[in-house]
């Protein structure tokens, strides 16, 4: 295990880490593992952001598999198939900048208090 490894983001099915020693990002998602330089990570993020999810879901609507959105990786003959939820999870892993959490105001909380 690399002692220089920093966890950049984590999700239910994956983790994105960065090694200070090798300057490589490692994306582990389900059973896939990618080691990417920063420019490759940026290119992958841009590619996934530009996926036309409605097109692929409509185009492959009669296909019998759940995963209908293709992500071409490296060579043209290697394609990863994902569904809409997996695309959003991958994007959340790849957009690892600190994202502020918007707090709710007291007006936005819909809760009925009942005393026992």
């Amino acid at each position: 295990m690399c002692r220089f490894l920093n966890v950049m983001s984590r999700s239910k099915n994956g983790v994105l880490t960065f090694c200070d020693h090798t300057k490589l990002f490692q994306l582990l998602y389900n059973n896939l593992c990618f080691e990417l330089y920063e420019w490759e990570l940026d290119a992958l993020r841009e590619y996934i952001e530009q996926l036309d999810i409605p097109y692929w879901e409509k185009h492959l609507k009669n296909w019998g598999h759940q995963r209908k959105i293709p992500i071409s990786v490296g060579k043209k003959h290697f394609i990863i198939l994902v569904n809409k939820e997996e695309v959003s999870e991958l994007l959340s892993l790849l957009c690892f900048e600190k994202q502020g959490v918007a707090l709710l105001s007291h007006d936005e909380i819909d809760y009925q208090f009942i005393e026992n």
Side-chain angles (χ1 to χ4, degrees), residues 58-116:
K58 182 180 176 185
H59 184 68
L60 298 173
K61 68 180 176 185
N62 295 324
W63 198 42
H65 299 286
Q66 174 193 6
R67 293 179 171 99
K68 298 178 181 180
I69 303 163
I71 297 176
S72 182
V73 180
K75 302 291 182 187
K76 292 181 181 180
H77 62 271
F78 186 66
I79 297 172
I80 299 169
L81 293 174
V82 293
N83 59 30
K84 185 174 17 178
E85 292 79 19
E86 290 171 329
V87 169
S88 64
E89 187 175 357
L90 275 170
L91 279 175
S92 71
L93 280 171
L94 295 174
C95 298
F96 56 87
E97 288 85 18
K98 298 283 185 198
Q99 298 171 349
V101 177
L103 299 177
L104 297 175
S105 70
H106 68 285
D107 296 334
E108 295 173 314
I109 299 173
D110 184 21
Y111 179 75
Q112 183 180 5
F113 179 73
I114 301 173
E115 284 190 48
N116 287 339

Side-chain angles (χ1 to χ4, degrees), residues 28-41:
L28 297 168
Y29 187 75
N30 288 334
N31 64 338
L32 302 171
C33 177
F34 300 97
E35 288 190 340
L36 307 163
Y37 288 106
E38 185 175 2
W39 67 271
E40 293 172 313
L41 184 76

Side-chain angles (χ1 to χ4, degrees), residues 11-28:
S11 72
K12 176 183 171 189
N13 297 310
V15 65
L16 177 68
T17 58
F18 178 71
C19 178
D20 287 326
H21 182 68
T22 62
K23 304 298 184 205
L24 282 171
F25 287 91
Q26 186 178 57
L27 174 63
L28 297 168

